[in-house]
Amino acid sequence: MSSTATILTGSLGMTLIAMVGAISLILPARRLEVLLLPLVALAAGSLLGGALFHMLPEGFSELMPRQGANWIAAGFSTFLVLEQSLHWHHSHRQRRADSPTAVQPMALLILLGDGLHNLIGGLGITSTYLINPPAGIAAWLAAVLHEIPQELGDFGVLLHSGWRPRQALLWNLISAVTFPLGALIAWAFRTSLPLAPLVLFAAGNFLYIAASDLVPEIKNSQSRLAAASNLGWFLLGLLLLQRLIH
């Protein structure tokens, strides 16, 4: 498969993951809640693994350490600013509110935040792929494992905002279309865009999401058994991405 076809296929796959929220209409809420934390733990490990084992080495192979560190810090800080300015927290639990109107602003901010997040992801992951295809595929896999629990949580927010299931799925899909947009921008301007800085910028995003949003969620386990299970899923995510080293 050509590089162009791989990028298009990966972008389409990432976009379609936005439809995974429909699972919450089938599974009982209690069972869905049980499934979410292991998925979040797996996503935390895979995002850290994608950044540490693949994106950082590729970025630093073309930049001096101080230059690379600046781009990582910029990517990390950008998501902090995004969350602070939009009051958007990357939570993966099914959130509820007393009235739909109380959550409506949150739902709109979730969609806006996800759109920006997907755009940056498309730019960074495609840039990684253009520098080194195996590393790009590993970064894409890490993003997929993160998107599944995120989309389940976001879908719950939209439903509790009073949106109909079909409407919620449509807008989740629209916010996901920015991923292929970012991918196409990176591919179209691959000869002029600074690919290594984009890779490290996206790595900073991965590190922020894992450390600030995902790990705190899995740390608050109610029992030792749940804590051990979450730790196991987290380590599995790390090991999975470490084993993908090329």
Side-chain angles (χ1 to χ4, degrees):
M1 185 181 293
S2 68
S3 296
T4 304
T6 301
I7 291 171
L8 290 174
T9 301
S11 297
L12 178 61
M14 188 69 74
T15 303
L16 292 178
I17 288 174
M19 308 299 286
V20 77
I23 294 175
S24 63
L25 299 175
I26 303 172
L27 292 177
R30 186 179 297 274
R31 181 174 298 180
L32 184 62
E33 190 69 23
V34 169
L35 290 174
L36 274 178
L37 275 184
L39 287 174
V40 169
L42 180 66
S46 64
L47 280 180
L48 282 177
L52 296 175
F53 301 135
H54 297 278
M55 302 174 81
L56 293 181
E58 294 304 328
F60 277 117
S61 69
E62 300 194 13
L63 291 177
M64 296 296 291
R66 187 176 295 275
Q67 290 177 305
N70 289 337
W71 283 102
I72 296 168
F76 193 98
S77 301
T78 295
F79 261 53
L80 174 61
V81 171
L82 181 64
E83 285 195 347
Q84 293 294 324
S85 60
L86 297 180
H87 302 287
W88 167 59
H89 179 63
H90 222 69
S91 177
H92 300 76
R93 298 176 183 269
Q94 295 286 311
R95 287 160 285 189
R96 299 178 181 273
D98 294 332
S99 66
T101 55
V103 193
Q104 186 73 14
M106 182 193 296
L108 296 175
L109 292 177
I110 285 285
L111 290 172
L112 176 59
D114 281 352
L116 292 173
H117 162 64
N118 289 328
L119 178 67
I120 293 170
L123 282 166
I125 293 172
T126 303
S127 297
T128 307
Y129 179 82
L130 291 170
I131 293 176
N132 187 312
I137 292 171
W140 180 87
L141 176 60
V144 166
L145 293 176
H146 163 242
E147 285 295 312
I148 292 173
Q150 178 196 323
E151 294 298 342
L152 287 170
D154 290 351
F155 187 70
V157 172
L158 299 182
L159 290 183
H160 291 293
S161 297
W163 292 20
R164 296 186 302 276
R166 183 177 298 181
Q167 184 184 21
L169 283 174
L170 174 62
W171 281 100
N172 250 4
L173 184 63
I174 291 173
S175 72
V177 169
T178 55
F179 184 94
L181 175 61
L184 289 173
I185 291 173
W187 179 82
F189 298 97
R190 60 192 180 280
T191 58
S192 56
L193 279 177
L195 295 181
L198 285 176
V199 170
L200 293 178
F201 185 89
N205 298 158
F206 276 36
L207 293 172
Y208 179 84
I209 293 170
S212 175
D213 292 331
L214 305 188
V215 170
E217 288 195 37
I218 64 176
K219 284 174 59 180
N220 298 323
S221 301
Q222 299 298 317
S223 67
R224 290 186 178 181
L225 180 60
S229 173
N230 291 338
L231 178 61
W233 284 106
F234 172 81
L235 294 176
L236 177 62
L238 272 178
L239 180 62
L240 175 63
L241 270 294
Q242 193 274 337
R243 296 297 294 175
L244 288 175
I245 288 181
H246 41 283

